[in-house]
Amino acid sequence: MVLHIGCIPGDGIGPEIVRETRKVLDRVAAKYGHEIEYSEILLGGASIDVHGIPLTQEAIEAAKGSDAVLMGSIGGDAATSPWYQLPPDKRPEAGLLAIRKALGLFANLRPALLYQELAGACPLKEEISRAGFDMLIMRELTGGLYFGERRTTVENGMRTAVDTLTYNEEEIRRIAVKAFDIARKRRNRVTSVDKANVLDSSRLWRDVVNHVAKEYPDVELSHMLVDNCAMQLVKDPAQFDVILTENMFGDILSDEASMVTGSIGMLASASLNDTKFGLYEPSHGSAPDIAGKDIANPIATVLSASMMLRYSFDLDREADAMESAVQQVLKDGYRTGDIMSAGCRQVGCTEMGDLLAERI
Ligand code: IPM
Ligand code: MG
């Protein structure tokens, strides 16, 4: 099979983690008889440096012309990078939001699981981490506060800023369907998270999710308020299978969920539309403070690439091979600095890429 993969190295540690991931992907392709054609796409700060804007029409076309996109990370240090002297709609993050919208990537899947080999890094009490957990946050990605009308006005010398949280029924229905579908491939439970005690958009959300649930009698649905969910994530993360939630709540909860795993450098994500196309990226950010030092952890990007093989190309065997390589490397005691613990051997980004590729 020929795989056309768009590659967005991006900013910060992005280029190095994507480079190592391609090394592993190339090994998979060679072993299983596939051919990969990469096209490089500029996004975020990398695009600003060349074109003055964080996303060009050409980049959108290149992404649309590929079967799937693999991304590193976007953005720099807001305190020191010149990118943040630009108006908000010209900054790196604006490019990321714009490409999500342009490609219709409404479903953001963010798995957060505790790797047994790394359980020691979990910041929760041992009686909680011992039980383990494995959840998937299904975050709506192209609606809500991120894309609602916004403005800042000045009246009588007083500035007022407005952001709006809008959802229509169809936007809620399609993400709910994705959540229920994926729950069927997992443990058949969906927790829909909202703020229905305050927000109209959440009351509509709850109503539509209840409707969709009728088509999935085998999936158990519960509702939870977002503040309670934030608490439950540290109190009893094992209770969650699929968490379904709107864009902003999902942004916040997914950072929390990844933090409680203790190993954010391990967590992958996928952003999907209604076709097989997807954009795959690690859950962590661009870590500009360690960029270029060859100490970043490429595993989250490698696992994002394995999600890509699974969801966009239906190559389950190949995806399994990548995931097994990760397990094996951990079992063999190799760690990057972020997940280092006593008795293991610390390696850099390049060496970790080599070790993973060798295990394919
Ligand atoms: C994420 C990030 C982005 C978001 C930022 C960089 C705009 O935090 O992917 O979670 O808020 O969606
Ligand atoms: Mg975020």
Side-chain angles (χ1 to χ4, degrees):
M1 169 172 196
V2 182
L3 288 60
H4 298 275
I5 299 178
C7 252
I8 303 179
D11 310 321
I13 57 171
E16 42 198 306
I17 55 184
V18 166
R19 180 192 68 219
E20 296 313 310
T21 300
R22 281 176 56 162
K23 202 187 268 176
V24 183
L25 270 174
D26 288 341
R27 184 64 71 95
V28 170
K31 174 158 178 191
Y32 293 92
H34 304 297
E35 197 181 314
I36 304 183
E37 282 173 12
Y38 297 101
S39 52
E40 191 137 330
I41 300 171
L42 292 178
L43 180 70
S47 172
I48 295 173
D49 288 345
V50 177
H51 300 293
I53 51 173
L55 175 67
T56 60
Q57 192 56 39
E58 183 192 344
I60 295 174
E61 295 311 324
K64 283 187 175 161
S66 49
D67 302 321
V69 173
L70 178 70
M71 191 182 112
S73 51
I74 294 301
D77 180 353
T80 56
S81 164
W83 300 329
Y84 296 89
Q85 304 299 317
L86 297 165
D89 63 339
K90 298 271 183 327
R91 293 178 193 166
E93 288 75 5
L96 180 57
L97 298 188
I99 201 168
R100 287 173 179 167
K101 194 72 171 179
L103 301 173
L105 304 172
F106 66 88
N108 184 210
L109 285 63
R110 298 189 165 182
L113 69 154
L114 190 68
Y115 284 84
Q116 274 321 314
E117 292 89 348
L118 305 179
C122 174
L124 302 178
K125 282 191 197 142
E126 212 213 309
E127 64 251 40
I128 303 175
S129 65
R130 209 179 309 122
F133 56 86
D134 176 358
M135 70 186 96
L136 182 139
I137 299 190
M138 178 68 79
R139 168 190 178 193
E140 200 291 328
L141 202 59
T142 53
L145 271 175
Y146 276 61
F147 292 95
E149 201 187 310
R150 75 174 97 254
R151 64 182 173 278
T152 304
T153 54
V154 190
E155 219 173 300
N156 301 327
M158 171 88 87
R159 286 178 301 160
T160 302
V162 182
D163 295 284
T164 44
L165 203 178
T166 310
Y167 274 108
N168 66 39
E169 297 175 84
E170 176 49 26
E171 288 171 313
I172 302 169
R173 195 197 60 79
R174 63 183 185 178
I175 187 78
V177 165
K178 287 265 188 203
F180 282 94
D181 281 344
I182 202 129
R184 276 191 170 155
K185 295 189 180 160
R186 295 173 48 97
R187 301 192 305 280
N188 290 289
R189 287 207 325 266
V190 171
T191 307
S192 176
V193 173
D194 62 36
K195 189 69 184 172
N197 53 348
V198 178
L199 303 176
D200 259 22
S201 54
S202 283
R203 288 187 274 268
L204 180 64
W205 181 279
R206 213 174 256 224
D207 190 57
V208 174
V209 172
N210 279 333
H211 252 86
V212 172
K214 293 200 177 107
E215 294 155 40
Y216 296 82
D218 52 320
V219 179
E220 185 193 316
L221 169 68
S222 58
H223 299 278
M224 191 178 277
L225 296 173
V226 62
D227 46 353
N228 184 29
C229 182
M231 198 167 72
Q232 296 298 329
L233 278 173
V234 292
K235 190 169 165 243
D236 177 20
Q239 71 185 285
F240 296 111
D241 180 13
V242 176
I243 292 179
L244 162 64
T245 194
E246 68 92 36
N247 203 344
M248 176 89 162
F249 297 159
D251 179 46
I252 298 167
L253 294 177
S254 62
D255 264 26
E256 188 188 359
S258 62
M259 195 59 224
V260 298
T261 68
S263 44
I264 185 166
M266 302 287 297
L267 301 178
S269 88
S271 303
L272 309 175
N273 60 21
D274 252 336
T275 70
K276 281 277 169 198
F277 182 87
L279 184 149
Y280 300 84
E281 58 172 311
S283 277
H284 60 71
S286 59
D289 52 322
I290 60 162
K293 296 187 177 158
D294 197 32
I295 56 174
N297 185 351
I299 293 182
T301 319
V302 169
L303 292 172
S304 302
S306 86
M307 282 180 100
M308 173 176 78
L309 296 182
R310 212 180 280 291
Y311 291 111
S312 286
F313 297 103
D314 289 317
L315 295 174
D316 286 334
R317 200 180 40 160
E318 290 79 347
D320 289 345
M322 288 183 91
E323 286 162 22
S324 306
V326 169
Q327 294 282 355
Q328 197 53 52
V329 131
L330 294 177
K331 263 203 201 105
D332 293 344
Y334 296 104
R335 305 280 188 273
T336 44
D338 56 311
I339 53 173
M340 184 58 190
S341 61
C344 294
R345 188 158 95 70
Q346 188 162 337
V347 298
C349 187
T350 310
E351 191 174 356
M352 183 54 95
D354 291 337
L355 291 164
L356 289 166
E358 279 166 19
R359 283 163 180 74
I360 294 295

